[in-house]
Amino acid sequence: MGLFASGLVDNLQAGETPQQAAAKNVKREAGMDIAPERFRAVCTASYLWSMRKQAPSDNGTADIVVVQSADISGPERDVASKYWDTREYGGAMWVQPQALIDDTQYHPALRR
């Protein structure tokens, strides 16, 4: 089973690796304890937004994302499914990594 987690460069602490940031993010967002060494890099991407919802809303933002992948067990997946805030992740679903590559319904940035 695969899980994709991203570690935003602006969330990295001094001396922290992208894998450590991904582990921290997965713990915060999904309640799973995944050791940083279980993550492997998939790709990097940059996102540029001319406006945003957060203040200051008239000021854009640029994020660099390092996408990480980790194989997870069924019990780890169950923890995440119970932990997710359905208001934020109402449409969340588990997807096999190969499906992201093969299925054109996903955004090209995810399919690289």
Side-chain angles (χ1 to χ4, degrees):
M1 217 166 273
L3 167 77
F4 284 93
S6 62
L8 293 175
V9 170
D10 65 349
N11 288 338
L12 286 172
Q13 301 299 313
E16 187 175 51
T17 67
Q19 291 81 9
Q20 290 168 326
K24 181 176 63 178
N25 190 36
V26 167
K27 176 66 175 172
R28 183 180 66 246
E29 298 289 338
M32 292 187 296
D33 285 310
I34 298 179
E37 53 274 5
R38 288 177 58 190
F39 288 94
R40 56 190 178 276
V42 175
C43 70
T44 58
S46 61
Y47 300 103
L48 302 173
W49 311 99
S50 60
M51 296 188 309
R52 60 185 180 181
K53 289 185 179 183
Q54 300 91 348
S57 60
D58 59 344
N59 189 20
T61 184
D63 295 318
I64 298 172
V65 179
V66 180
V67 179
Q68 304 286 326
S69 172
D71 290 327
I72 61 169
S73 67
E76 288 172 323
R77 181 177 138 168
D78 292 343
V79 166
S81 296
K82 293 174 186 168
Y83 192 90
W84 280 335
D85 180 345
T86 55
R87 293 169 296 173
E88 185 174 358
Y89 298 109
M93 65 180 137
W94 293 101
V95 178
Q96 292 294 325
Q98 191 62 43
L100 290 176
I101 296 166
D102 295 339
D103 194 334
T104 59
Q105 76 172 336
Y106 297 109
H107 192 280
L110 292 174
R111 297 177 50 229
R112 292 183 189 167

